Amino acid sequence: MRAACTAAGLSDEQIDIVLGLALPSARLEADPAGDPSVIGASRLGGEPDLADGVPWPCGADGAPLGFIAQVRLADVSETVRAAGPLPADGMLSFFYDAAEQEAWGGDPEDAAASRVIRVEGGVPLRRRPFPSDLEEHGRFPAIPLVVREERSYPHPEHPVLVAEGIRDAQDYAYAGIMGWADTVHRLLGHADEIQSGMRDVAELASSGIGAGEPGAYDTPEGRAALARADRWRLVLQIDSEDAAGMMWADAGRLFWLIPDDALAAERWEEAWLVLEGC
Protein backbone atom coordinates (compact mmCIF):
# COMPACT_ATOMS: atom_id res chain seq x y z
CA MET A 1 0.00 0.00 0.00
CA ARG A 2 2.81 2.41 0.87
CA ALA A 3 4.50 1.76 -2.48
CA ALA A 4 1.25 2.33 -4.37
CA CYS A 5 0.66 5.62 -2.56
CA THR A 6 4.21 6.72 -3.31
CA ALA A 7 3.70 5.95 -7.00
CA ALA A 8 0.49 8.00 -6.92
CA GLY A 9 2.45 11.04 -5.77
CA LEU A 10 1.58 11.15 -2.07
CA SER A 11 4.26 12.39 0.29
CA ASP A 12 5.56 10.23 3.13
CA GLU A 13 3.56 12.36 5.58
CA GLN A 14 0.37 11.95 3.55
CA ILE A 15 0.92 8.20 3.28
CA ASP A 16 1.27 7.94 7.05
CA ILE A 17 -2.08 9.74 7.39
CA VAL A 18 -3.79 7.35 4.94
CA LEU A 19 -2.35 4.26 6.63
CA GLY A 20 -3.33 5.62 10.03
CA LEU A 21 -6.96 5.85 8.93
CA ALA A 22 -7.10 2.22 7.74
CA LEU A 23 -9.74 -0.03 9.29
CA PRO A 24 -10.01 -3.83 9.34
CA SER A 25 -12.79 -5.27 7.20
CA ALA A 26 -13.92 -8.58 5.74
CA ARG A 27 -13.79 -8.84 1.94
CA LEU A 28 -16.45 -11.15 0.53
CA GLU A 29 -15.55 -12.85 -2.74
CA ALA A 30 -17.18 -15.49 -4.91
CA ASP A 31 -15.92 -18.98 -4.08
CA PRO A 32 -15.90 -21.15 -7.23
CA ALA A 33 -15.32 -24.23 -5.08
CA GLY A 34 -18.14 -23.43 -2.67
CA ASP A 35 -21.27 -25.53 -2.36
CA PRO A 36 -24.45 -23.39 -2.41
CA SER A 37 -26.47 -26.21 -0.87
CA VAL A 38 -24.62 -25.96 2.48
CA ILE A 39 -26.99 -24.63 5.14
CA GLY A 40 -25.66 -21.63 7.03
CA ALA A 41 -22.74 -20.85 4.72
CA SER A 42 -21.87 -17.30 3.63
CA ARG A 43 -23.26 -16.44 0.20
CA LEU A 44 -24.99 -14.00 -2.07
CA GLY A 45 -28.52 -14.69 -3.23
CA GLY A 46 -30.30 -18.00 -3.45
CA GLU A 47 -32.88 -18.85 -0.79
CA PRO A 48 -32.00 -17.71 2.75
CA ASP A 49 -31.28 -19.96 5.72
CA LEU A 50 -33.49 -18.75 8.56
CA ALA A 51 -34.53 -20.02 11.98
CA ASP A 52 -38.00 -21.47 12.43
CA GLY A 53 -40.49 -18.80 13.39
CA VAL A 54 -38.60 -15.98 11.67
CA PRO A 55 -40.94 -14.56 9.05
CA TRP A 56 -39.73 -13.58 5.60
CA PRO A 57 -39.40 -9.78 5.85
CA CYS A 58 -41.82 -7.65 3.84
CA GLY A 59 -41.94 -4.01 2.82
CA ALA A 60 -44.52 -1.41 3.76
CA ASP A 61 -46.88 -2.70 1.07
CA GLY A 62 -46.70 -6.26 2.40
CA ALA A 63 -44.68 -7.53 -0.56
CA PRO A 64 -41.68 -9.75 0.30
CA LEU A 65 -38.23 -8.19 0.18
CA GLY A 66 -35.51 -9.74 -1.92
CA PHE A 67 -32.82 -11.80 -0.18
CA ILE A 68 -29.41 -10.29 -0.91
CA ALA A 69 -26.79 -12.00 1.26
CA GLN A 70 -26.01 -13.91 4.42
CA VAL A 71 -22.73 -13.90 6.33
CA ARG A 72 -21.71 -16.64 8.77
CA LEU A 73 -19.98 -14.70 11.52
CA ALA A 74 -17.61 -17.58 12.30
CA ASP A 75 -16.12 -16.93 8.83
CA VAL A 76 -15.09 -13.43 9.92
CA SER A 77 -11.69 -13.05 11.57
CA GLU A 78 -11.46 -12.20 15.25
CA THR A 79 -9.70 -8.93 14.38
CA VAL A 80 -12.57 -7.77 12.18
CA ARG A 81 -15.27 -8.92 14.60
CA ALA A 82 -13.57 -7.04 17.44
CA ALA A 83 -13.52 -3.87 15.34
CA GLY A 84 -17.29 -3.99 15.01
CA PRO A 85 -17.89 -5.36 17.48
CA LEU A 86 -19.68 -8.37 16.06
CA PRO A 87 -20.62 -11.64 17.79
CA ALA A 88 -18.34 -14.64 17.27
CA ASP A 89 -21.06 -16.88 15.87
CA GLY A 90 -24.47 -16.93 14.28
CA MET A 91 -25.64 -15.38 11.03
CA LEU A 92 -26.47 -11.98 9.59
CA SER A 93 -28.95 -11.95 6.71
CA PHE A 94 -29.71 -8.92 4.53
CA PHE A 95 -32.89 -8.16 2.61
CA TYR A 96 -33.85 -5.30 0.27
CA ASP A 97 -36.70 -4.33 -2.03
CA ALA A 98 -34.55 -5.38 -4.96
CA ALA A 99 -37.42 -5.89 -7.40
CA GLU A 100 -38.48 -2.25 -7.32
CA GLN A 101 -35.29 -0.46 -6.17
CA GLU A 102 -37.29 2.66 -5.46
CA ALA A 103 -35.73 3.08 -2.00
CA TRP A 104 -32.32 4.77 -2.13
CA GLY A 105 -32.23 5.62 1.58
CA GLY A 106 -32.91 9.34 1.40
CA ASP A 107 -36.60 9.21 2.33
CA PRO A 108 -37.84 8.43 5.86
CA GLU A 109 -40.27 5.94 4.30
CA ASP A 110 -37.32 3.93 2.97
CA ALA A 111 -36.98 2.32 6.41
CA ALA A 112 -39.34 -0.49 5.40
CA ALA A 113 -37.44 -1.32 2.20
CA SER A 114 -34.60 -3.23 3.85
CA ARG A 115 -34.01 -5.51 6.80
CA VAL A 116 -31.13 -7.11 8.69
CA ILE A 117 -31.86 -10.35 10.54
CA ARG A 118 -29.50 -11.79 13.15
CA VAL A 119 -29.75 -15.45 14.09
CA GLU A 120 -27.75 -16.46 17.15
CA GLY A 121 -25.21 -19.26 17.06
CA GLY A 122 -26.53 -22.75 17.79
CA VAL A 123 -30.03 -21.98 16.51
CA PRO A 124 -31.04 -24.51 13.83
CA LEU A 125 -31.41 -23.04 10.34
CA ARG A 126 -33.60 -24.17 7.48
CA ARG A 127 -33.56 -23.25 3.82
CA ARG A 128 -36.55 -20.93 3.28
CA PRO A 129 -38.21 -21.17 -0.17
CA PHE A 130 -38.94 -17.99 -2.08
CA PRO A 131 -42.44 -16.65 -1.36
CA SER A 132 -44.72 -17.25 -4.32
CA ASP A 133 -45.38 -13.51 -4.63
CA LEU A 134 -41.70 -12.51 -4.72
CA GLU A 135 -41.09 -11.09 -8.19
CA GLU A 136 -38.61 -12.92 -10.42
CA HIS A 137 -36.24 -9.95 -10.63
CA GLY A 138 -36.12 -9.97 -6.84
CA ARG A 139 -34.70 -13.52 -6.85
CA PHE A 140 -30.99 -14.14 -7.35
CA PRO A 141 -28.88 -17.26 -7.95
CA ALA A 142 -26.80 -18.52 -5.04
CA ILE A 143 -23.12 -17.50 -5.09
CA PRO A 144 -20.99 -19.07 -2.30
CA LEU A 145 -18.62 -16.61 -0.67
CA VAL A 146 -15.18 -16.85 0.84
CA VAL A 147 -14.45 -14.32 3.59
CA ARG A 148 -10.98 -12.89 4.11
CA GLU A 149 -9.59 -10.09 6.23
CA GLU A 150 -8.60 -6.93 4.37
CA ARG A 151 -7.51 -3.45 5.40
CA SER A 152 -9.90 -0.79 4.12
CA TYR A 153 -9.08 2.83 3.41
CA PRO A 154 -11.10 6.05 3.45
CA HIS A 155 -12.88 7.79 0.59
CA PRO A 156 -10.92 10.67 -0.98
CA GLU A 157 -13.42 13.11 0.55
CA HIS A 158 -12.79 11.89 4.09
CA PRO A 159 -12.47 15.12 6.09
CA VAL A 160 -8.92 14.34 7.21
CA LEU A 161 -7.78 13.69 3.63
CA VAL A 162 -9.45 16.88 2.44
CA ALA A 163 -7.79 18.88 5.24
CA GLU A 164 -4.39 17.46 4.31
CA GLY A 165 -4.78 18.24 0.61
CA ILE A 166 -4.75 14.59 -0.47
CA ARG A 167 -8.19 14.85 -2.04
CA ASP A 168 -7.28 17.99 -4.01
CA ALA A 169 -3.96 16.85 -5.42
CA GLN A 170 -4.26 13.09 -5.84
CA ASP A 171 -7.99 12.31 -5.95
CA TYR A 172 -8.06 10.14 -9.06
CA ALA A 173 -4.74 8.43 -8.40
CA TYR A 174 -5.79 7.67 -4.83
CA ALA A 175 -9.15 6.30 -5.99
CA GLY A 176 -7.30 4.02 -8.41
CA ILE A 177 -5.21 2.63 -5.56
CA MET A 178 -8.39 1.78 -3.68
CA GLY A 179 -9.67 -0.27 -6.63
CA TRP A 180 -13.09 1.39 -6.63
CA ALA A 181 -13.62 0.31 -10.22
CA ASP A 182 -13.58 -3.31 -9.02
CA THR A 183 -16.48 -5.37 -7.68
CA VAL A 184 -16.18 -5.08 -3.91
CA HIS A 185 -18.41 -6.73 -1.30
CA ARG A 186 -17.33 -5.74 2.20
CA LEU A 187 -18.33 -6.29 5.85
CA LEU A 188 -17.34 -3.48 8.26
CA GLY A 189 -14.44 -1.10 7.66
CA HIS A 190 -14.55 1.88 5.32
CA ALA A 191 -17.30 1.88 2.72
CA ASP A 192 -16.19 2.03 -0.92
CA GLU A 193 -18.46 4.99 -1.58
CA ILE A 194 -19.27 5.86 -5.17
CA GLN A 195 -20.28 9.34 -4.15
CA SER A 196 -19.92 10.65 -0.61
CA GLY A 197 -22.13 11.74 2.26
CA MET A 198 -24.04 8.50 2.85
CA ARG A 199 -23.83 9.00 6.60
CA ASP A 200 -25.51 12.37 6.23
CA VAL A 201 -28.26 10.75 4.17
CA ALA A 202 -28.78 7.97 6.73
CA GLU A 203 -28.92 10.38 9.67
CA LEU A 204 -31.32 12.78 7.99
CA ALA A 205 -33.72 10.14 6.69
CA SER A 206 -33.71 8.04 9.87
CA SER A 207 -34.48 11.26 11.77
CA GLY A 208 -37.58 11.83 9.64
CA ILE A 209 -35.99 14.41 7.30
CA GLY A 210 -36.02 13.80 3.56
CA ALA A 211 -32.40 14.08 2.42
CA GLY A 212 -33.50 15.11 -1.06
CA GLU A 213 -35.80 17.90 0.09
CA PRO A 214 -34.67 21.44 -0.85
CA GLY A 215 -33.01 23.09 2.12
CA ALA A 216 -33.06 19.91 4.25
CA TYR A 217 -29.41 20.39 5.17
CA ASP A 218 -29.91 24.01 6.23
CA THR A 219 -32.81 23.79 8.68
CA PRO A 220 -32.10 23.70 12.43
CA GLU A 221 -33.30 20.09 12.50
CA GLY A 222 -31.14 19.22 9.51
CA ARG A 223 -28.03 20.81 10.98
CA ALA A 224 -28.61 19.00 14.28
CA ALA A 225 -28.94 15.70 12.43
CA LEU A 226 -25.79 16.30 10.40
CA ALA A 227 -23.86 16.95 13.61
CA ARG A 228 -24.66 13.34 14.61
CA ALA A 229 -23.87 11.75 11.24
CA ASP A 230 -20.40 10.49 12.17
CA ARG A 231 -21.99 7.88 14.43
CA TRP A 232 -22.96 5.74 11.40
CA ARG A 233 -20.82 2.71 10.55
CA LEU A 234 -20.76 0.39 7.57
CA VAL A 235 -22.21 -3.04 8.28
CA LEU A 236 -22.31 -4.48 4.76
CA GLN A 237 -21.58 -3.29 1.25
CA ILE A 238 -22.90 -5.30 -1.71
CA ASP A 239 -21.73 -4.30 -5.14
CA SER A 240 -23.46 -4.89 -8.46
CA GLU A 241 -22.54 -8.48 -9.31
CA ASP A 242 -23.02 -9.94 -12.80
CA ALA A 243 -22.72 -13.55 -11.64
CA ALA A 244 -25.61 -13.06 -9.22
CA GLY A 245 -27.70 -10.97 -11.59
CA MET A 246 -27.50 -8.05 -9.15
CA MET A 247 -27.53 -4.58 -10.70
CA TRP A 248 -28.12 -1.71 -8.30
CA ALA A 249 -29.26 1.31 -10.29
CA ASP A 250 -26.49 2.00 -12.83
CA ALA A 251 -23.71 -0.35 -11.61
CA GLY A 252 -24.14 0.98 -8.07
CA ARG A 253 -23.73 -0.45 -4.59
CA LEU A 254 -25.93 -1.19 -1.59
CA PHE A 255 -24.69 -0.05 1.82
CA TRP A 256 -26.21 -1.09 5.15
CA LEU A 257 -25.19 1.40 7.85
CA ILE A 258 -25.89 1.38 11.58
CA PRO A 259 -25.18 3.76 14.49
CA ASP A 260 -22.23 2.83 16.72
CA ASP A 261 -24.34 2.24 19.81
CA ALA A 262 -26.88 0.16 17.90
CA LEU A 263 -24.14 -2.05 16.49
CA ALA A 264 -22.65 -2.64 19.94
CA ALA A 265 -26.10 -3.47 21.37
CA GLU A 266 -27.16 -5.53 18.30
CA ARG A 267 -30.18 -3.35 17.58
CA TRP A 268 -30.28 -4.48 13.97
CA GLU A 269 -33.67 -2.87 13.43
CA GLU A 270 -31.84 0.49 13.38
CA ALA A 271 -29.76 -0.43 10.32
CA TRP A 272 -30.37 1.84 7.34
CA LEU A 273 -29.79 1.11 3.66
CA VAL A 274 -28.34 3.61 1.20
CA LEU A 275 -28.06 2.87 -2.52
CA GLU A 276 -25.46 4.79 -4.49
CA GLY A 277 -25.34 4.69 -8.28
CA CYS A 278 -22.66 5.73 -10.72
Side-chain angles (χ1 to χ4, degrees):
M1 181 62 184
R2 181 174 291 276
C5 286
T6 298
L10 276 69
S11 68
D12 288 342
E13 182 180 1
Q14 289 174 327
I15 294 171
D16 288 340
I17 291 169
V18 169
L19 298 182
L21 292 171
L23 294 174
S25 76
R27 182 79 175 262
L28 313 177
E29 296 176 311
D31 181 6
D35 182 356
S37 69
V38 175
I39 301 294
S42 298
R43 58 182 163 81
L44 294 178
E47 296 172 326
D49 301 328
L50 297 173
D52 289 342
V54 175
W56 188 292
C58 295
D61 60 358
L65 301 178
F67 170 61
I68 308 303
Q70 62 185 35
V71 179
R72 180 171 55 193
L73 295 175
D75 293 342
V76 181
S77 74
E78 183 177 353
T79 299
V80 175
R81 291 199 308 267
L86 288 175
D89 56 14
M91 177 87 73
L92 288 177
S93 299
F94 299 82
F95 294 78
Y96 170 60
D97 187 7
E100 300 299 331
Q101 293 194 34
E102 293 181 350
W104 286 48
D107 190 313
E109 295 185 359
D110 290 346
S114 68
R115 193 76 53 81
V116 179
I117 295 176
R118 154 90 162 117
V119 177
E120 294 185 0
V123 175
L125 299 170
R126 297 182 189 275
R127 186 66 43 90
R128 187 71 58 84
F130 291 127
S132 60
D133 54 344
L134 178 61
E135 297 185 40
E136 284 298 323
H137 49 291
R139 308 180 184 201
F140 304 100
I143 306 293
L145 295 172
V146 61
V147 182
R148 63 178 177 85
E149 184 176 334
E150 178 180 84
R151 303 294 286 176
S152 64
Y153 297 90
H155 190 275
E157 294 188 10
H158 187 285
V160 174
L161 301 190
V162 172
E164 295 295 331
I166 297 173
R167 185 258 182 272
D168 294 334
Q170 293 91 10
D171 186 5
Y172 294 107
Y174 177 74
I177 295 170
M178 298 304 99
W180 284 319
D182 300 334
T183 298
V184 182
H185 311 301
R186 188 183 304 284
L187 182 80
L188 298 182
H190 287 290
D192 298 87
E193 297 182 66
I194 296 172
Q195 300 158 20
S196 64
M198 67 169 61
R199 289 167 178 78
D200 294 346
V201 170
E203 183 62 48
L204 286 167
S206 66
S207 299
I209 303 169
E213 295 296 323
Y217 289 65
D218 297 323
T219 65
E221 296 80 8
R223 288 192 293 270
L226 294 175
R228 304 188 297 267
D230 285 347
R231 70 194 182 107
W232 290 86
R233 298 271 307 281
L234 176 70
V235 178
L236 184 72
Q237 163 186 314
I238 296 295
D239 212 331
S240 293
E241 172 70 65
D242 289 342
M246 294 178 175
M247 177 60 69
W248 313 125
D250 183 10
R253 289 172 177 152
L254 301 179
F255 302 90
W256 278 268
L257 308 176
I258 194 169
D260 281 320
D261 60 337
L263 177 60
E266 295 197 61
R267 298 195 304 270
W268 299 107
E269 68 278 6
E270 295 183 30
W272 195 269
L273 179 132
V274 175
L275 188 160
E276 287 190 347
C278 294

